[in-house]
Amino acid sequence: MGKTSKDKRDIYYRQAKEEGWRARSAFKLLHVDEAYGILNGVQRAVDLCAAPGSWSQVLSRKLYDPCQTDDEKAAVKIIAVDLQAMAPIRGIIQLQGDITKQSTAEAIIGHFGGDEKAQLVVCDGAPDVTGVHEMDEYMQHQLLVAALSIATCVLETGGTFVAKIFKGNATWLLSSQMKIFFKKFDIYKPPSSRPSSIEAFVVCSDFCLPDGYIPQVINPARDDIRLLAQKTGSDVNRRLVPFIACGDLGGLSDPDEGKSSASKETKSDVQYVYDAVMSDASYPLEFKEILKEVYDEQLQVS
């Protein structure tokens, strides 16, 4: 009762009903666009975790509806990705898929056709909130990492990535990781986001893959990310990927505590990655400082 009454008093809730938006969250993307102009000149966009479709509605109204001719409309390609289906939206191609699977990234690129990729990737996805702040923050960060990893596969050079983040202790670590892939980075809390909410949005632009990096679709909650990095055969992936999943310290466990020989190799690989990152001048200083704190703390525990 309390939540319903509060929602009905919310100006954006009422405005969303009046203007035909599927959720008040539509205004969050509109406010991001007002602040950063992320939709300017965009013809190819991807909406991850799209259901119920309010952000896809924004993309439809801003990118597809203004088109005057059939050729202009054909040039606009907007793909909405979610595990569940949603009601149709003008100019939106719906793709039921898991954003943590390579097949989904390939399907997205296939819809664009040719050598084209997305100019913009957005994600307003969030896990089911438990009320335990640390758990909610951790799960949101894992979702953000999954969205970032698929974005590295489907974004063109110079592209933009916008996604929800729950601000917390690991925010700066995630920020440093995203700065590796984007030349411009900011965290923005739109006025339509409730002041009491810990949510904000990362706004990353001017996408550029590091030389030698091979894009991978990662599920940090499921995959052995160090093994995935090794399979690429790229030293750059070995240095970047293992530390992209915030909180994953499995490779630092004590190999003498009944672990297999594979665990010993994992620890050696983590040491290699740690040394490489700390000696690389291209990594942001704050990333190195946080990494060193985590690494030293884990060594003390071991």
Side-chain angles (χ1 to χ4, degrees), residues 172-248:
W172 287 110
L173 175 59
L174 288 171
S175 301
S176 297
Q177 292 166 346
M178 281 179 276
K179 289 176 183 177
I180 295 172
F181 297 97
F182 296 90
K183 295 181 181 179
K184 298 178 182 178
F185 171 86
D186 200 5
I187 296 180
Y188 175 67
K189 187 173 180 66
S192 48
S193 178
R194 293 187 178 92
S196 59
S197 173
I198 61 173
E199 75 169 7
F201 294 88
V202 295
V203 183
C204 312
S205 57
D206 207 353
F207 172 67
C208 184
L209 281 176
D211 291 339
Y213 180 81
I214 300 175
Q216 294 179 279
V217 176
I218 301 168
N219 181 345
R222 178 195 64 203
D223 298 332
D224 184 337
I225 56 178
R226 294 182 179 85
L227 181 60
L228 288 179
Q230 290 173 348
K231 285 182 177 179
T232 65
S234 168
D235 284 342
V236 179
N237 283 62
R238 291 183 67 196
R239 290 160 51 193
L240 294 181
V241 173
F243 290 98
I244 205 168
C246 172
D248 180 11

Side-chain angles (χ1 to χ4, degrees), residues 34-299:
E34 289 177 5
Y36 296 91
I38 61 170
L39 301 180
N40 294 342
V42 171
Q43 290 184 312
R44 299 181 302 279
V46 178
D47 182 10
L48 303 176
C49 304
S54 61
W55 278 29
S56 291
Q57 281 184 299
V58 173
L59 296 176
S60 172
R61 296 188 190 185
K62 290 288 188 178
L63 305 181
Y64 182 80
D65 287 354
C67 295
Q68 300 296 318
T69 67
D70 290 341
D71 288 342
E72 289 178 347
K73 290 181 178 180
V76 175
K77 297 179 180 179
I78 307 169
I79 302 173
V81 184
D82 203 289
L83 286 172
Q84 61 181 353
M86 61 186 189
I89 300 173
R90 289 187 307 275
I92 303 295
I93 300 171
Q94 291 193 38
L95 175 63
Q96 281 188 261
D98 186 341
I99 68 170
T100 66
K101 292 186 176 180
Q102 185 69 36
S103 58
T104 302
E106 293 171 354
I108 292 173
I109 295 174
H111 278 297
F112 288 131
D115 297 327
E116 292 185 329
K117 288 188 175 183
Q119 297 164 300
L120 171 68
V121 174
V122 298
C123 180
D124 190 34
D128 293 331
V129 177
T130 66
V132 180
H133 175 72
E134 291 79 6
M135 177 61 71
D136 293 337
E137 178 190 335
Y138 177 79
M139 294 305 297
Q140 177 61 33
H141 287 168
Q142 303 311 299
L143 181 59
L144 175 57
V145 167
L148 174 63
S149 71
I150 196 171
T152 64
C153 296
V154 305
L155 262 181
E156 69 177 18
T157 300
T160 300
F161 174 66
V162 176
K164 179 181 291 184
I165 185 173
F166 286 174
K167 299 177 72 174
N169 294 333
T171 299
W172 287 110
L173 175 59
L174 288 171
S175 301
S176 297
Q177 292 166 346
M178 281 179 276
K179 289 176 183 177
I180 295 172
F181 297 97
F182 296 90
K183 295 181 181 179
K184 298 178 182 178
F185 171 86
D186 200 5
I187 296 180
Y188 175 67
K189 187 173 180 66
S192 48
S193 178
R194 293 187 178 92
S196 59
S197 173
I198 61 173
E199 75 169 7
F201 294 88
V202 295
V203 183
C204 312
S205 57
D206 207 353
F207 172 67
C208 184
L209 281 176
D211 291 339
Y213 180 81
I214 300 175
Q216 294 179 279
V217 176
I218 301 168
N219 181 345
R222 178 195 64 203
D223 298 332
D224 184 337
I225 56 178
R226 294 182 179 85
L227 181 60
L228 288 179
Q230 290 173 348
K231 285 182 177 179
T232 65
S234 168
D235 284 342
V236 179
N237 283 62
R238 291 183 67 196
R239 290 160 51 193
L240 294 181
V241 173
F243 290 98
I244 205 168
C246 172
D248 180 11
L249 299 177
L252 298 177
S253 57
D254 188 345
D256 297 326
E257 294 182 3
K259 303 294 183 181
S260 65
S261 58
S263 295
K264 295 180 182 180
E265 293 173 0
T266 301
K267 183 173 182 178
S268 174
D269 188 57
V270 170
Q271 182 66 55
Y272 162 81
V273 173
Y274 175 80
D275 292 342
V277 169
M278 299 304 289
S279 61
D280 193 329
S282 66
Y283 281 82
L285 180 59
E286 62 267 28
F287 178 81
K288 292 182 178 180
E289 291 175 348
I290 295 174
L291 177 59
K292 187 177 187 306
E293 291 178 4
V294 173
Y295 186 80
D296 291 346
E297 181 178 324
Q298 185 62 27
L299 288 182

Side-chain angles (χ1 to χ4, degrees), residues 6-18 24 27 191-192:
K6 181 178 180 180
D7 283 344
K8 288 184 177 180
R9 291 194 300 267
D10 183 270
I11 183 174
Y12 294 108
Y13 176 89
R14 298 196 304 270
Q15 191 173 346
K17 292 293 185 181
E18 294 170 358
R24 68 184 298 283
F27 294 104
S192 48

